Amino acid sequence: MLSVTPKDRDYLRFYFPCNEKQLVYRHCRVVFGVSSSPYLLNASIMHLLENCSPEYKEVAQKLKSSFYVDNCVAGVFSVDKIEIFIEKAKLIMAKGCFNLRTFESNVASRSVDKHSENRCSDTTDIDELNSRDLRKRMKFRIKLLSNLRQRFRKEYLGELIQKQNDNRVREPRVGEMVLIGDDNKKRLSWPIAKIIELIPGRDGDNMEQ
């Protein structure tokens, strides 16, 4: 448990019910459940890891980014390193009276309490992927996006231009999709809007909203 310095113990005073008189006590240890508990826990763990022995610096550095409240979530690249990591992590935390226990992993190991093989046989690890295949998929994605842009310009915007050059005038209707023109932007960047109401203008023409 974490001790509270004597000068700060007045902030943790509480009344103790008594028939004769009211007794006031002070907590000398950090109370579990107060709003400052998570912060104090994290500060204590960080202080412990930053001041550990030089021989444990590598494991301590990994532990700094592995704690979430009172859970430790970390990983190593081989089964042999699991034993070393768990052993050193327990020694480091034990110096601060923290008891690391109940280890789980996706592979079996002597120091692991539970393990589950959650990998599908037809699923490839990211480390085993060929970089050339990744580049091919990226090129295909870029090409697909480029084709979509070209089709949008030729087929959709092309139809809008033809309708604009048509001499026939048609009244706009509620529910139709329109482009909001902007002289400072390209037609491809014009926002698309939907007509929800027609407001008659002073000259009798309808204005869309």
Side-chain angles (χ1 to χ4, degrees):
M1 299 181 67
L2 300 177
S3 298
V4 179
T5 56
K7 65 183 182 67
D8 295 328
R9 291 176 183 176
D10 284 338
Y11 295 103
L12 297 175
R13 291 179 295 181
F14 64 96
Y15 285 108
F16 185 80
C18 184
N19 294 330
E20 299 178 358
K21 59 179 180 179
Q22 288 184 336
L23 300 178
V24 179
Y25 288 96
R26 301 186 305 175
H27 287 286
C28 298
R29 301 289 185 269
V30 175
V31 183
F32 177 79
V34 297
S35 58
S36 60
S37 295
Y39 165 77
L40 293 173
L41 173 62
N42 181 70
S44 301
I45 292 176
M46 291 300 108
H47 176 76
L48 174 64
L49 297 177
E50 289 172 0
N51 295 275
C52 68
S53 303
E55 57 182 314
Y56 299 138
K57 282 294 183 182
E58 183 179 354
V59 176
Q61 194 65 29
K62 181 184 287 291
L63 289 175
K64 283 184 180 180
S65 58
S66 301
F67 277 104
Y68 178 74
V69 190
D70 57 352
N71 292 320
C72 177
V73 182
V76 293
F77 294 102
S78 67
V79 179
D80 296 335
K81 291 183 178 181
I82 293 179
E83 303 291 339
I84 300 175
F85 175 79
I86 292 178
E87 181 182 355
K88 290 186 177 182
K90 291 174 69 174
L91 290 174
I92 293 172
M93 301 306 296
K95 293 184 178 180
C97 298
F98 294 102
N99 181 21
L100 284 184
R101 62 185 185 275
T102 313
F103 293 90
E104 297 186 17
S105 175
N106 62 332
V107 293
S109 177
R110 180 172 54 85
S111 301
V112 173
D113 301 287
K114 300 179 183 179
H115 74 278
S116 58
E117 187 68 27
N118 55 5
R119 174 184 165 187
C120 298
S121 58
D122 57 347
T123 303
T124 306
D125 287 341
I126 188 65
D127 295 338
E128 299 176 4
L129 290 176
N130 193 328
S131 60
R132 183 172 57 184
D133 294 336
L134 290 175
R135 288 195 297 268
K136 288 175 61 177
R137 292 186 61 84
M138 183 60 67
K139 289 181 180 179
F140 173 76
R141 183 175 181 273
I142 294 174
K143 182 179 179 181
L144 182 62
L145 291 175
S146 177
N147 292 339
L148 289 175
R149 291 193 187 97
Q150 292 179 3
R151 290 193 58 185
F152 179 80
R153 290 180 178 179
K154 292 181 180 179
E155 299 177 12
Y156 182 74
L157 294 183
E159 291 293 327
L160 293 179
I161 295 175
Q162 291 178 6
K163 291 183 179 180
Q164 182 180 3
N165 295 333
D166 196 345
N167 294 327
R168 291 176 298 177
V169 178
R170 185 179 65 81
E171 292 292 333
R173 301 174 184 176
V174 175
E176 289 185 336
M177 304 301 296
V178 295
L179 284 176
I180 302 177
D182 188 342
D183 295 335
N184 298 322
K185 295 181 180 180
K186 295 182 179 181
R187 182 183 291 269
L188 185 62
S189 302
W190 286 2
I192 300 176
K194 182 179 181 180
I195 301 176
I196 59 175
E197 184 181 359
L198 296 176
I199 303 176
R202 295 181 179 179
D203 54 358
D205 294 334
N206 288 324
M207 296 186 298
E208 302 91 347
Q209 180 179 353

